[in-house]
Amino acid sequence: MPAINSIRFVARLIGTAVLLGRAMMPSLMLTMGVCIGFASSAQSSQIDLSNQEIGAPPQEFKFWRAGKVDFGHWAVVREGASGGVAIQASGTGRADEPLLAVYTRVLAIDARIKIRFKLIDGPMPSAGIAARVSGPDDYYVVRVSAFEQRLSLLHIVRGKPEEIAGVDAQIAKDHWQTLEVGVRGNGFTIWLDDEWALPAFDYAKLVEGQFGIWTERDDTTRFGQIDISPLPSVHDQSAAPDRVGG
């Protein structure tokens, strides 16, 4: 009899587990539906420059330099004989301060950003992607430098840069190149010219912010195509972010 009672007890436990599983299934399906819906809503924002005024600052951006609003160093320009359009940053004056242009229509913790850039002139030609910009002096920047032949991830805190990671890279002047970064949780995955270049982690507090383009000092830099895509905030440090366009 004790053995029979034990069997009945186990059977009741199994039945209860099955019922609980059935009760939880709608909730699980609802949660999955919400996640899938959020993922599908994260569309790429490709910034269209074709209809913007030549010679004026690009629309839907805000501009900072040395912690202050700065419109005078950014303009939409014609690019070569092809008639293409680009954003040009010309940083004359206050040569020790970087130029920052932030796209105002995307606010997220996690995102992927891809840009085309061309380094035109300057003593230390550079370009960069600004990520999680919470203010003019607080953001991350993925920076490429032709002077140093280096790709770096920097964390700017109260205007002070700290290099999180870096690697030697081939950066050319007067030549279009692509730079891309996926930001997810504490992980940063970076590509240069469509080649995987650098993974990095930073364990600072995750902060929602905006994204944009960057150059330093008195460089002259052009930025062509710019894609910014918010990502679902999974915060899985082990998963590399998906790339723009694939």
Side-chain angles (χ1 to χ4, degrees), residues 149-180:
Q149 291 293 293
R150 187 168 178 81
L151 184 157
S152 306
L153 172 67
L154 306 176
H155 192 190
I156 314 297
V157 179
R158 298 176 184 171
K160 304 297 183 182
E162 177 187 0
E163 183 175 280
I164 304 301
V167 66
D168 292 340
Q170 293 185 350
I171 313 299
K173 285 185 63 176
D174 203 29
H175 175 71
W176 282 107
Q177 295 182 259
T178 62
L179 180 65
E180 182 178 349

Side-chain angles (χ1 to χ4, degrees), residues 45-88:
S45 296
Q46 182 172 332
I47 299 169
D48 184 8
L49 301 173
S50 61
N51 296 319
Q52 299 201 26
E53 181 182 353
I54 302 299
Q59 299 171 10
E60 298 179 325
F61 281 83
K62 56 187 175 184
F63 309 94
W64 285 316
R65 192 176 199 190
K68 298 179 181 179
V69 175
D70 172 50
F71 286 93
H73 296 94
W74 296 89
V76 177
V77 298
R78 294 288 183 195
E79 168 55 33
S82 65
V85 181
I87 298 172
Q88 179 166 297

Side-chain angles (χ1 to χ4, degrees), residues 174-244:
D174 203 29
H175 175 71
W176 282 107
Q177 295 182 259
T178 62
L179 180 65
E180 182 178 349
V181 58
V183 185
R184 179 170 287 171
N186 298 107
F188 297 76
T189 307
I190 302 165
W191 295 266
L192 178 65
D193 293 331
D194 296 319
E195 297 288 338
W196 179 80
L198 181 68
F201 292 89
D202 185 48
Y203 294 95
K205 181 180 178 180
L206 300 181
V207 176
E208 187 176 56
Q210 294 173 312
F211 301 82
I213 49 180
W214 176 100
T215 188
E216 65 179 329
R217 305 187 178 183
D218 54 353
D219 298 339
T220 299
T221 306
R222 288 187 180 176
F223 298 89
Q225 180 179 335
I226 302 172
D227 295 314
I228 303 175
S229 303
L231 294 172
S233 294
V234 178
H235 300 163
D236 179 3
Q237 298 176 12
S238 64
D242 295 332
R243 297 194 55 201
V244 173

Side-chain angles (χ1 to χ4, degrees), residues 68-128:
K68 298 179 181 179
V69 175
D70 172 50
F71 286 93
H73 296 94
W74 296 89
V76 177
V77 298
R78 294 288 183 195
E79 168 55 33
S82 65
V85 181
I87 298 172
Q88 179 166 297
S90 300
T92 56
R94 287 188 293 179
D96 59 338
E97 299 294 344
L99 296 166
L100 178 61
V102 179
Y103 188 58
T104 58
R105 297 193 62 182
V106 173
L107 181 67
I109 293 178
D110 298 336
R112 57 196 185 200
I113 312 96
K114 184 175 184 178
I115 65 171
R116 293 177 69 239
F117 68 92
K118 181 163 67 170
L119 307 180
I120 305 296
D121 197 10
M124 297 182 66
S126 65

